[in-house]
Amino acid sequence: MKGSTIRAIRTALQTLAAVAAVLPALAAVVADSDAIAAAAPWAVTAALSAAAFAAAVSRVMSSPAVEALLKRLGLGLANGDSGHAR
């Protein structure tokens, strides 16, 4: 698997983990409000969309042109890691 694909998948998983961390608080709010409970399916869709968007941004950021720009800004990969498993 290509390094850029691996990074995109890792970013999506990190985003889902962050969303999962706030789910208990969200569930408590939803339980207290019928109006918010009706929006729960939308909230799940929004969380999945956020993960997909984060993965897409990660994929774009791994392109050589963007990586070159990030390196000029001091935000490139510090060790030149391509993201391949070792």
Short mmCIF file of all heavy atoms in Angstrom, two decimals:
data_model
loop_
_atom_site.label_atom_id
_atom_site.label_comp_id
_atom_site.label_asym_id
_atom_site.label_seq_id
_atom_site.Cartn_x
_atom_site.Cartn_y
_atom_site.Cartn_z
N MET A 1 0.85 -1.17 0.00
CA MET A 1 0.00 0.00 0.00
C MET A 1 0.90 1.23 0.00
O MET A 1 1.91 1.27 0.69
CB MET A 1 -0.89 -0.03 1.24
CG MET A 1 -2.01 0.95 1.17
SD MET A 1 -3.18 0.92 2.58
CE MET A 1 -3.69 -0.77 2.64
N LYS A 2 0.52 2.23 -0.77
CA LYS A 2 1.30 3.46 -0.86
C LYS A 2 1.27 4.23 0.45
O LYS A 2 0.29 4.19 1.19
CB LYS A 2 0.76 4.34 -1.98
CG LYS A 2 1.00 3.77 -3.36
CD LYS A 2 0.34 4.59 -4.43
CE LYS A 2 0.89 5.99 -4.44
NZ LYS A 2 0.38 6.82 -5.52
N GLY A 3 2.35 4.95 0.71
CA GLY A 3 2.46 5.75 1.93
C GLY A 3 1.35 6.78 2.05
O GLY A 3 0.81 7.01 3.13
N SER A 4 0.98 7.40 0.93
CA SER A 4 -0.08 8.42 0.98
C SER A 4 -1.42 7.80 1.35
O SER A 4 -2.21 8.40 2.08
CB SER A 4 -0.18 9.15 -0.36
OG SER A 4 -0.45 8.24 -1.41
N THR A 5 -1.66 6.58 0.90
CA THR A 5 -2.90 5.89 1.26
C THR A 5 -2.91 5.52 2.74
O THR A 5 -3.92 5.69 3.43
CB THR A 5 -3.08 4.63 0.39
OG1 THR A 5 -3.08 5.01 -0.98
CG2 THR A 5 -4.36 3.90 0.73
N ILE A 6 -1.77 5.06 3.22
CA ILE A 6 -1.65 4.70 4.63
C ILE A 6 -1.90 5.93 5.50
O ILE A 6 -2.63 5.86 6.49
CB ILE A 6 -0.27 4.08 4.93
CG1 ILE A 6 -0.16 2.71 4.26
CG2 ILE A 6 -0.02 3.98 6.43
CD1 ILE A 6 1.23 2.13 4.26
N ARG A 7 -1.30 7.07 5.13
CA ARG A 7 -1.49 8.29 5.92
C ARG A 7 -2.95 8.73 5.91
O ARG A 7 -3.49 9.19 6.92
CB ARG A 7 -0.59 9.40 5.40
CG ARG A 7 0.86 9.24 5.85
CD ARG A 7 1.68 10.47 5.54
NE ARG A 7 1.81 10.74 4.12
CZ ARG A 7 2.70 10.17 3.31
NH1 ARG A 7 3.55 9.30 3.79
NH2 ARG A 7 2.75 10.49 2.05
N ALA A 8 -3.62 8.60 4.76
CA ALA A 8 -5.03 8.98 4.68
C ALA A 8 -5.89 8.10 5.58
O ALA A 8 -6.77 8.60 6.28
CB ALA A 8 -5.51 8.90 3.23
N ILE A 9 -5.62 6.81 5.58
CA ILE A 9 -6.38 5.89 6.43
C ILE A 9 -6.12 6.19 7.90
O ILE A 9 -7.05 6.24 8.72
CB ILE A 9 -6.04 4.42 6.09
CG1 ILE A 9 -6.57 4.07 4.70
CG2 ILE A 9 -6.61 3.47 7.14
CD1 ILE A 9 -6.06 2.76 4.15
N ARG A 10 -4.85 6.45 8.24
CA ARG A 10 -4.51 6.77 9.64
C ARG A 10 -5.22 8.05 10.09
O ARG A 10 -5.71 8.13 11.21
CB ARG A 10 -3.00 6.90 9.79
CG ARG A 10 -2.27 5.57 9.71
CD ARG A 10 -0.78 5.77 9.63
NE ARG A 10 -0.28 6.64 10.67
CZ ARG A 10 0.38 6.24 11.75
NH1 ARG A 10 0.61 4.95 11.92
NH2 ARG A 10 0.81 7.09 12.64
N THR A 11 -5.27 9.04 9.21
CA THR A 11 -5.94 10.31 9.55
C THR A 11 -7.42 10.09 9.77
O THR A 11 -8.01 10.64 10.71
CB THR A 11 -5.70 11.35 8.45
OG1 THR A 11 -4.29 11.59 8.34
CG2 THR A 11 -6.40 12.66 8.76
N ALA A 12 -8.06 9.28 8.92
CA ALA A 12 -9.48 8.99 9.09
C ALA A 12 -9.72 8.29 10.43
O ALA A 12 -10.67 8.63 11.15
CB ALA A 12 -9.99 8.14 7.94
N LEU A 13 -8.87 7.34 10.76
CA LEU A 13 -9.01 6.63 12.04
C LEU A 13 -8.80 7.57 13.23
O LEU A 13 -9.52 7.47 14.23
CB LEU A 13 -8.05 5.45 12.11
CG LEU A 13 -8.35 4.29 11.15
CD1 LEU A 13 -7.25 3.24 11.20
CD2 LEU A 13 -9.70 3.67 11.48
N GLN A 14 -7.84 8.49 13.12
CA GLN A 14 -7.61 9.44 14.19
C GLN A 14 -8.82 10.36 14.37
O GLN A 14 -9.20 10.68 15.50
CB GLN A 14 -6.37 10.28 13.90
CG GLN A 14 -5.09 9.48 13.98
CD GLN A 14 -3.91 10.21 13.38
OE1 GLN A 14 -4.04 11.28 12.79
NE2 GLN A 14 -2.73 9.63 13.51
N THR A 15 -9.42 10.77 13.27
CA THR A 15 -10.59 11.64 13.34
C THR A 15 -11.75 10.90 13.98
O THR A 15 -12.46 11.44 14.83
CB THR A 15 -10.97 12.15 11.94
OG1 THR A 15 -9.85 12.83 11.38
CG2 THR A 15 -12.16 13.08 11.99
N LEU A 16 -11.97 9.64 13.56
CA LEU A 16 -13.04 8.85 14.17
C LEU A 16 -12.81 8.64 15.66
O LEU A 16 -13.75 8.68 16.45
CB LEU A 16 -13.19 7.52 13.44
CG LEU A 16 -13.85 7.59 12.06
CD1 LEU A 16 -13.81 6.23 11.39
CD2 LEU A 16 -15.28 8.10 12.18
N ALA A 17 -11.55 8.44 16.05
CA ALA A 17 -11.24 8.27 17.48
C ALA A 17 -11.56 9.55 18.25
O ALA A 17 -12.09 9.49 19.37
CB ALA A 17 -9.77 7.89 17.65
N ALA A 18 -11.24 10.70 17.67
CA ALA A 18 -11.55 11.97 18.34
C ALA A 18 -13.05 12.16 18.48
O ALA A 18 -13.54 12.61 19.52
CB ALA A 18 -10.94 13.12 17.56
N VAL A 19 -13.80 11.81 17.45
CA VAL A 19 -15.26 11.91 17.51
C VAL A 19 -15.80 10.94 18.56
O VAL A 19 -16.68 11.30 19.34
CB VAL A 19 -15.88 11.66 16.12
CG1 VAL A 19 -17.39 11.52 16.21
CG2 VAL A 19 -15.51 12.79 15.16
N ALA A 20 -15.27 9.73 18.59
CA ALA A 20 -15.73 8.74 19.57
C ALA A 20 -15.48 9.20 21.00
O ALA A 20 -16.23 8.86 21.91
CB ALA A 20 -15.04 7.40 19.31
N ALA A 21 -14.44 10.00 21.20
CA ALA A 21 -14.12 10.48 22.54
C ALA A 21 -15.19 11.42 23.08
O ALA A 21 -15.39 11.51 24.29
CB ALA A 21 -12.77 11.20 22.53
N VAL A 22 -15.90 12.11 22.20
CA VAL A 22 -16.94 13.04 22.66
C VAL A 22 -18.34 12.43 22.60
O VAL A 22 -19.31 13.07 23.00
CB VAL A 22 -16.92 14.36 21.85
CG1 VAL A 22 -15.59 15.06 22.03
CG2 VAL A 22 -17.26 14.14 20.41
N LEU A 23 -18.45 11.20 22.12
CA LEU A 23 -19.76 10.57 22.01
C LEU A 23 -20.50 10.43 23.34
O LEU A 23 -21.71 10.66 23.38
CB LEU A 23 -19.66 9.22 21.31
CG LEU A 23 -19.54 9.29 19.78
CD1 LEU A 23 -19.45 7.88 19.21
CD2 LEU A 23 -20.68 10.05 19.16
N PRO A 24 -19.85 10.08 24.45
CA PRO A 24 -20.60 10.00 25.71
C PRO A 24 -21.27 11.33 26.09
O PRO A 24 -22.43 11.35 26.51
CB PRO A 24 -19.54 9.60 26.74
CG PRO A 24 -18.51 8.88 25.94
CD PRO A 24 -18.49 9.59 24.62
N ALA A 25 -20.57 12.42 25.91
CA ALA A 25 -21.15 13.72 26.22
C ALA A 25 -22.29 14.04 25.25
O ALA A 25 -23.34 14.56 25.65
CB ALA A 25 -20.09 14.81 26.15
N LEU A 26 -22.09 13.72 24.00
CA LEU A 26 -23.14 13.95 23.00
C LEU A 26 -24.36 13.10 23.31
O LEU A 26 -25.49 13.57 23.20
CB LEU A 26 -22.61 13.64 21.60
CG LEU A 26 -23.59 13.84 20.45
CD1 LEU A 26 -24.04 15.30 20.37
CD2 LEU A 26 -22.95 13.42 19.14
N ALA A 27 -24.15 11.87 23.72
CA ALA A 27 -25.27 10.98 24.05
C ALA A 27 -26.08 11.53 25.22
O ALA A 27 -27.31 11.45 25.23
CB ALA A 27 -24.76 9.58 24.37
N ALA A 28 -25.40 12.11 26.20
CA ALA A 28 -26.10 12.69 27.34
C ALA A 28 -26.97 13.87 26.92
O ALA A 28 -28.11 14.01 27.38
CB ALA A 28 -25.10 13.13 28.40
N VAL A 29 -26.47 14.68 26.03
CA VAL A 29 -27.23 15.82 25.53
C VAL A 29 -28.42 15.34 24.72
O VAL A 29 -29.53 15.85 24.85
CB VAL A 29 -26.34 16.77 24.71
CG1 VAL A 29 -27.15 17.84 24.02
CG2 VAL A 29 -25.27 17.39 25.59
N VAL A 30 -28.19 14.35 23.86
CA VAL A 30 -29.26 13.82 23.02
C VAL A 30 -30.36 13.21 23.88
O VAL A 30 -31.55 13.38 23.59
CB VAL A 30 -28.70 12.79 22.01
CG1 VAL A 30 -29.81 12.02 21.33
CG2 VAL A 30 -27.83 13.49 20.98
N ALA A 31 -29.99 12.53 24.95
CA ALA A 31 -30.99 11.89 25.81
C ALA A 31 -31.89 12.91 26.49
O ALA A 31 -33.04 12.61 26.81
CB ALA A 31 -30.28 11.04 26.87
N ASP A 32 -31.40 14.11 26.70
CA ASP A 32 -32.17 15.16 27.39
C ASP A 32 -33.05 15.98 26.45
O ASP A 32 -33.81 16.81 26.92
CB ASP A 32 -31.22 16.11 28.13
CG ASP A 32 -30.59 15.44 29.34
OD1 ASP A 32 -31.14 14.42 29.80
OD2 ASP A 32 -29.56 15.95 29.80
N SER A 33 -32.92 15.78 25.17
CA SER A 33 -33.67 16.64 24.24
C SER A 33 -34.22 15.83 23.08
O SER A 33 -33.46 15.21 22.35
CB SER A 33 -32.76 17.75 23.72
OG SER A 33 -33.41 18.45 22.70
N ASP A 34 -35.54 15.87 22.92
CA ASP A 34 -36.15 15.16 21.79
C ASP A 34 -35.76 15.78 20.46
O ASP A 34 -35.59 15.08 19.46
CB ASP A 34 -37.68 15.17 21.93
CG ASP A 34 -38.15 14.31 23.09
OD1 ASP A 34 -37.42 13.35 23.45
OD2 ASP A 34 -39.23 14.60 23.63
N ALA A 35 -35.61 17.10 20.44
CA ALA A 35 -35.25 17.78 19.19
C ALA A 35 -33.85 17.36 18.74
O ALA A 35 -33.62 17.12 17.55
CB ALA A 35 -35.31 19.29 19.36
N ILE A 36 -32.93 17.25 19.70
CA ILE A 36 -31.57 16.84 19.34
C ILE A 36 -31.56 15.36 18.98
O ILE A 36 -30.82 14.94 18.09
CB ILE A 36 -30.60 17.15 20.49
CG1 ILE A 36 -30.51 18.67 20.68
CG2 ILE A 36 -29.21 16.60 20.20
CD1 ILE A 36 -29.64 19.11 21.84
N ALA A 37 -32.37 14.55 19.65
CA ALA A 37 -32.43 13.13 19.34
C ALA A 37 -32.85 12.92 17.89
O ALA A 37 -32.37 11.99 17.23
CB ALA A 37 -33.39 12.41 20.28
N ALA A 38 -33.73 13.78 17.39
CA ALA A 38 -34.15 13.66 16.00
C ALA A 38 -33.00 13.96 15.04
O ALA A 38 -32.99 13.49 13.90
CB ALA A 38 -35.31 14.61 15.73
N ALA A 39 -32.02 14.72 15.52
CA ALA A 39 -30.87 15.08 14.68
C ALA A 39 -29.71 14.09 14.81
O ALA A 39 -28.70 14.26 14.15
CB ALA A 39 -30.39 16.47 15.05
N ALA A 40 -29.85 13.06 15.64
CA ALA A 40 -28.77 12.11 15.86
C ALA A 40 -28.25 11.47 14.58
O ALA A 40 -27.04 11.36 14.40
CB ALA A 40 -29.18 11.06 16.88
N PRO A 41 -29.13 11.02 13.67
CA PRO A 41 -28.59 10.44 12.42
C PRO A 41 -27.74 11.45 11.64
O PRO A 41 -26.73 11.09 11.05
CB PRO A 41 -29.84 10.06 11.65
CG PRO A 41 -30.89 9.86 12.69
CD PRO A 41 -30.57 10.88 13.76
N TRP A 42 -28.15 12.72 11.70
CA TRP A 42 -27.37 13.75 11.03
C TRP A 42 -25.99 13.88 11.68
O TRP A 42 -24.98 14.04 11.01
CB TRP A 42 -28.10 15.10 11.11
CG TRP A 42 -27.29 16.21 10.54
CD1 TRP A 42 -27.23 16.60 9.25
CD2 TRP A 42 -26.39 17.06 11.26
NE1 TRP A 42 -26.36 17.65 9.12
CE2 TRP A 42 -25.82 17.95 10.33
CE3 TRP A 42 -26.01 17.15 12.60
CZ2 TRP A 42 -24.90 18.92 10.71
CZ3 TRP A 42 -25.08 18.12 12.96
CH2 TRP A 42 -24.55 18.99 12.02
N ALA A 43 -25.94 13.78 13.01
CA ALA A 43 -24.66 13.90 13.73
C ALA A 43 -23.72 12.76 13.36
O ALA A 43 -22.52 12.97 13.19
CB ALA A 43 -24.91 13.93 15.23
N VAL A 44 -24.25 11.56 13.22
CA VAL A 44 -23.42 10.41 12.82
C VAL A 44 -22.89 10.63 11.41
O VAL A 44 -21.71 10.41 11.13
CB VAL A 44 -24.23 9.09 12.92
CG1 VAL A 44 -23.46 7.94 12.29
CG2 VAL A 44 -24.56 8.79 14.38
N THR A 45 -23.75 11.09 10.52
CA THR A 45 -23.33 11.37 9.15
C THR A 45 -22.27 12.45 9.14
O THR A 45 -21.29 12.36 8.38
CB THR A 45 -24.54 11.79 8.29
OG1 THR A 45 -25.50 10.74 8.33
CG2 THR A 45 -24.14 12.07 6.87
N ALA A 46 -22.43 13.47 9.97
CA ALA A 46 -21.44 14.55 10.03
C ALA A 46 -20.09 14.03 10.52
O ALA A 46 -19.04 14.41 10.00
CB ALA A 46 -21.94 15.66 10.94
N ALA A 47 -20.11 13.13 11.50
CA ALA A 47 -18.86 12.56 12.02
C ALA A 47 -18.15 11.74 10.94
O ALA A 47 -16.93 11.86 10.77
CB ALA A 47 -19.14 11.70 13.24
N LEU A 48 -18.90 10.93 10.23
CA LEU A 48 -18.31 10.14 9.15
C LEU A 48 -17.80 11.03 8.02
O LEU A 48 -16.75 10.76 7.44
CB LEU A 48 -19.31 9.11 8.64
CG LEU A 48 -19.70 8.02 9.64
CD1 LEU A 48 -20.79 7.13 9.07
CD2 LEU A 48 -18.49 7.21 10.05
N SER A 49 -18.53 12.09 7.74
CA SER A 49 -18.10 13.04 6.70
C SER A 49 -16.81 13.74 7.12
O SER A 49 -15.92 13.96 6.28
CB SER A 49 -19.18 14.07 6.43
OG SER A 49 -20.33 13.45 5.91
N ALA A 50 -16.70 14.08 8.40
CA ALA A 50 -15.48 14.72 8.90
C ALA A 50 -14.29 13.79 8.73
O ALA A 50 -13.20 14.23 8.32
CB ALA A 50 -15.65 15.11 10.36
N ALA A 51 -14.47 12.51 9.03
CA ALA A 51 -13.38 11.55 8.87
C ALA A 51 -12.99 11.41 7.40
O ALA A 51 -11.80 11.36 7.07
CB ALA A 51 -13.77 10.20 9.45
N ALA A 52 -13.98 11.35 6.52
CA ALA A 52 -13.69 11.23 5.09
C ALA A 52 -12.97 12.48 4.58
O ALA A 52 -12.02 12.39 3.79
CB ALA A 52 -14.97 11.00 4.31
N PHE A 53 -13.42 13.65 5.03
CA PHE A 53 -12.78 14.89 4.61
C PHE A 53 -11.34 14.96 5.12
O PHE A 53 -10.43 15.35 4.39
CB PHE A 53 -13.58 16.10 5.10
CG PHE A 53 -13.02 17.41 4.66
CD1 PHE A 53 -13.19 17.83 3.34
CD2 PHE A 53 -12.33 18.21 5.53
CE1 PHE A 53 -12.66 19.03 2.91
CE2 PHE A 53 -11.80 19.42 5.11
CZ PHE A 53 -11.96 19.84 3.80
N ALA A 54 -11.12 14.55 6.37
CA ALA A 54 -9.77 14.55 6.93
C ALA A 54 -8.86 13.60 6.14
O ALA A 54 -7.69 13.92 5.89
CB ALA A 54 -9.80 14.14 8.40
N ALA A 55 -9.38 12.46 5.74
CA ALA A 55 -8.60 11.51 4.95
C ALA A 55 -8.26 12.11 3.58
O ALA A 55 -7.13 11.96 3.09
CB ALA A 55 -9.36 10.21 4.77
N ALA A 56 -9.21 12.80 2.97
CA ALA A 56 -8.96 13.42 1.67
C ALA A 56 -7.90 14.52 1.78
O ALA A 56 -7.01 14.62 0.93
CB ALA A 56 -10.26 13.99 1.09
N VAL A 57 -7.99 15.32 2.83
CA VAL A 57 -6.99 16.38 3.03
C VAL A 57 -5.62 15.77 3.27
O VAL A 57 -4.61 16.23 2.73
CB VAL A 57 -7.40 17.30 4.21
CG1 VAL A 57 -6.26 18.23 4.59
CG2 VAL A 57 -8.63 18.10 3.84
N SER A 58 -5.57 14.69 4.03
CA SER A 58 -4.31 13.99 4.27
C SER A 58 -3.71 13.49 2.96
O SER A 58 -2.51 13.59 2.73
CB SER A 58 -4.53 12.82 5.22
OG SER A 58 -3.37 12.06 5.36
N ARG A 59 -4.57 12.96 2.11
CA ARG A 59 -4.11 12.44 0.82
C ARG A 59 -3.53 13.57 -0.04
O ARG A 59 -2.48 13.43 -0.65
CB ARG A 59 -5.29 11.77 0.12
CG ARG A 59 -4.99 11.15 -1.19
CD ARG A 59 -4.23 9.88 -1.01
NE ARG A 59 -3.94 9.34 -2.33
CZ ARG A 59 -3.68 8.11 -2.57
NH1 ARG A 59 -3.65 7.25 -1.60
NH2 ARG A 59 -3.44 7.72 -3.78
N VAL A 60 -4.21 14.72 -0.07
CA VAL A 60 -3.72 15.86 -0.84
C VAL A 60 -2.40 16.36 -0.26
O VAL A 60 -1.46 16.68 -1.00
CB VAL A 60 -4.77 16.99 -0.86
CG1 VAL A 60 -4.20 18.28 -1.40
CG2 VAL A 60 -5.98 16.57 -1.67
N MET A 61 -2.31 16.41 1.07
CA MET A 61 -1.09 16.91 1.70
C MET A 61 0.11 16.01 1.46
O MET A 61 1.25 16.45 1.59
CB MET A 61 -1.31 17.10 3.20
CG MET A 61 -2.22 18.27 3.50
SD MET A 61 -2.44 18.54 5.26
CE MET A 61 -0.79 19.08 5.72
N SER A 62 -0.12 14.77 1.09
CA SER A 62 0.99 13.86 0.85
C SER A 62 1.52 13.95 -0.58
O SER A 62 2.49 13.30 -0.92
CB SER A 62 0.60 12.42 1.17
OG SER A 62 -0.36 11.95 0.25
N SER A 63 0.90 14.78 -1.42
CA SER A 63 1.38 14.92 -2.79
C SER A 63 2.73 15.63 -2.78
O SER A 63 3.02 16.45 -1.89
CB SER A 63 0.37 15.71 -3.64
OG SER A 63 0.41 17.07 -3.30
N PRO A 64 3.58 15.34 -3.75
CA PRO A 64 4.92 15.95 -3.77
C PRO A 64 4.88 17.48 -3.80
O PRO A 64 5.70 18.13 -3.14
CB PRO A 64 5.54 15.38 -5.05
CG PRO A 64 4.83 14.09 -5.28
CD PRO A 64 3.41 14.33 -4.80
N ALA A 65 3.95 18.07 -4.54
CA ALA A 65 3.89 19.53 -4.64
C ALA A 65 3.54 20.15 -3.29
O ALA A 65 4.16 21.13 -2.86
CB ALA A 65 2.86 19.94 -5.68
N VAL A 66 2.56 19.58 -2.60
CA VAL A 66 2.17 20.11 -1.30
C VAL A 66 3.27 19.85 -0.27
O VAL A 66 3.58 20.72 0.55
CB VAL A 66 0.81 19.52 -0.83
CG1 VAL A 66 0.47 19.95 0.58
CG2 VAL A 66 -0.29 19.91 -1.80
N GLU A 67 3.90 18.69 -0.33
CA GLU A 67 4.99 18.38 0.60
C GLU A 67 6.14 19.37 0.40
O GLU A 67 6.73 19.84 1.38
CB GLU A 67 5.47 16.95 0.39
CG GLU A 67 6.59 16.53 1.33
CD GLU A 67 6.21 16.62 2.81
OE1 GLU A 67 5.05 16.43 3.17
OE2 GLU A 67 7.13 16.88 3.61
N ALA A 68 6.45 19.73 -0.85
CA ALA A 68 7.50 20.70 -1.10
C ALA A 68 7.14 22.06 -0.50
O ALA A 68 7.99 22.74 0.10
CB ALA A 68 7.74 20.83 -2.61
N LEU A 69 5.90 22.46 -0.65
CA LEU A 69 5.43 23.72 -0.07
C LEU A 69 5.53 23.68 1.46
O LEU A 69 6.01 24.62 2.09
CB LEU A 69 4.00 24.02 -0.50
CG LEU A 69 3.35 25.25 0.15
CD1 LEU A 69 4.07 26.52 -0.29
CD2 LEU A 69 1.89 25.31 -0.21
N LEU A 70 5.09 22.57 2.04
CA LEU A 70 5.15 22.43 3.49
C LEU A 70 6.59 22.46 4.00
O LEU A 70 6.87 23.03 5.06
CB LEU A 70 4.44 21.15 3.94
CG LEU A 70 2.91 21.15 3.77
CD1 LEU A 70 2.36 19.77 4.07
CD2 LEU A 70 2.26 22.20 4.63
N LYS A 71 7.50 21.86 3.25
CA LYS A 71 8.92 21.88 3.65
C LYS A 71 9.44 23.31 3.65
O LYS A 71 10.18 23.71 4.54
CB LYS A 71 9.75 21.00 2.73
CG LYS A 71 9.64 19.54 3.06
CD LYS A 71 10.54 18.71 2.19
CE LYS A 71 10.35 17.24 2.53
NZ LYS A 71 11.13 16.36 1.68
N ARG A 72 9.04 24.10 2.66
CA ARG A 72 9.48 25.51 2.61
C ARG A 72 8.93 26.30 3.79
O ARG A 72 9.52 27.26 4.24
CB ARG A 72 9.06 26.17 1.30
CG ARG A 72 9.98 25.78 0.14
CD ARG A 72 9.72 26.62 -1.05
NE ARG A 72 8.52 26.08 -1.69
CZ ARG A 72 7.79 26.70 -2.59
NH1 ARG A 72 8.10 27.92 -2.96
NH2 ARG A 72 6.74 26.13 -3.12
N LEU A 73 7.78 25.89 4.29
CA LEU A 73 7.17 26.56 5.43
C LEU A 73 7.64 25.97 6.77
O LEU A 73 7.18 26.40 7.83
CB LEU A 73 5.64 26.45 5.35
CG LEU A 73 4.98 27.14 4.15
CD1 LEU A 73 3.50 26.81 4.10
CD2 LEU A 73 5.22 28.64 4.19
N GLY A 74 8.50 24.97 6.69
CA GLY A 74 8.99 24.33 7.90
C GLY A 74 8.03 23.31 8.48
O GLY A 74 8.15 22.93 9.64
N LEU A 75 7.08 22.85 7.68
CA LEU A 75 6.08 21.91 8.15
C LEU A 75 6.15 20.56 7.43
O LEU A 75 5.23 19.75 7.55
CB LEU A 75 4.67 22.49 7.97
CG LEU A 75 4.40 23.78 8.75
CD1 LEU A 75 3.06 24.36 8.34
CD2 LEU A 75 4.42 23.51 10.23
N GLY A 76 7.22 20.32 6.69
CA GLY A 76 7.36 19.07 5.97
C GLY A 76 7.69 17.93 6.91
O GLY A 76 7.90 18.12 8.11
N LEU A 77 7.71 16.73 6.35
CA LEU A 77 8.07 15.56 7.15
C LEU A 77 9.51 15.74 7.63
O LEU A 77 10.41 15.92 6.83
CB LEU A 77 7.93 14.28 6.33
CG LEU A 77 6.49 13.92 5.95
CD1 LEU A 77 6.50 12.72 5.02
CD2 LEU A 77 5.67 13.64 7.17
N ALA A 78 9.73 15.68 8.92
CA ALA A 78 11.03 15.97 9.52
C ALA A 78 12.12 15.01 9.06
O ALA A 78 13.23 15.41 8.80
CB ALA A 78 10.91 15.94 11.04
N ASN A 79 11.78 13.73 8.96
CA ASN A 79 12.80 12.74 8.61
C ASN A 79 12.65 12.20 7.20
O ASN A 79 13.27 11.21 6.85
CB ASN A 79 12.78 11.60 9.63
CG ASN A 79 11.44 10.88 9.66
OD1 ASN A 79 10.53 11.24 8.93
ND2 ASN A 79 11.35 9.86 10.48
N GLY A 80 11.79 12.79 6.40
CA GLY A 80 11.59 12.31 5.05
C GLY A 80 10.82 11.01 4.99
O GLY A 80 10.82 10.33 3.99
N ASP A 81 10.16 10.65 6.09
CA ASP A 81 9.40 9.40 6.15
C ASP A 81 8.33 9.40 5.08
O ASP A 81 7.55 10.34 4.94
CB ASP A 81 8.75 9.26 7.52
CG ASP A 81 7.97 7.99 7.68
OD1 ASP A 81 8.21 7.04 6.90
OD2 ASP A 81 7.12 7.93 8.58
N SER A 82 8.28 8.35 4.31
CA SER A 82 7.29 8.24 3.24
C SER A 82 5.99 7.65 3.72
O SER A 82 5.02 7.54 2.97
CB SER A 82 7.85 7.38 2.10
OG SER A 82 8.04 6.06 2.56
N GLY A 83 5.95 7.21 4.97
CA GLY A 83 4.73 6.62 5.51
C GLY A 83 4.65 5.13 5.32
O GLY A 83 3.68 4.51 5.71
N HIS A 84 5.67 4.53 4.72
CA HIS A 84 5.66 3.08 4.52
C HIS A 84 5.96 2.37 5.83
O HIS A 84 6.77 2.81 6.63
CB HIS A 84 6.71 2.67 3.47
CG HIS A 84 6.38 3.17 2.11
ND1 HIS A 84 5.42 2.58 1.32
CD2 HIS A 84 6.85 4.20 1.38
CE1 HIS A 84 5.34 3.23 0.17
NE2 HIS A 84 6.20 4.22 0.18
N ALA A 85 5.28 1.26 6.02
CA ALA A 85 5.52 0.45 7.21
C ALA A 85 6.92 -0.12 7.16
O ALA A 85 7.44 -0.44 6.10
CB ALA A 85 4.48 -0.67 7.30
N ARG A 86 7.51 -0.23 8.33
CA ARG A 86 8.87 -0.77 8.36
C ARG A 86 8.92 -2.06 9.10
O ARG A 86 8.23 -2.38 9.93
CB ARG A 86 9.78 0.23 9.06
CG ARG A 86 9.86 1.47 8.24
CD ARG A 86 10.69 2.50 8.92
NE ARG A 86 10.39 3.71 8.18
CZ ARG A 86 10.96 4.84 8.38
NH1 ARG A 86 11.86 4.97 9.29
NH2 ARG A 86 10.66 5.88 7.69
#
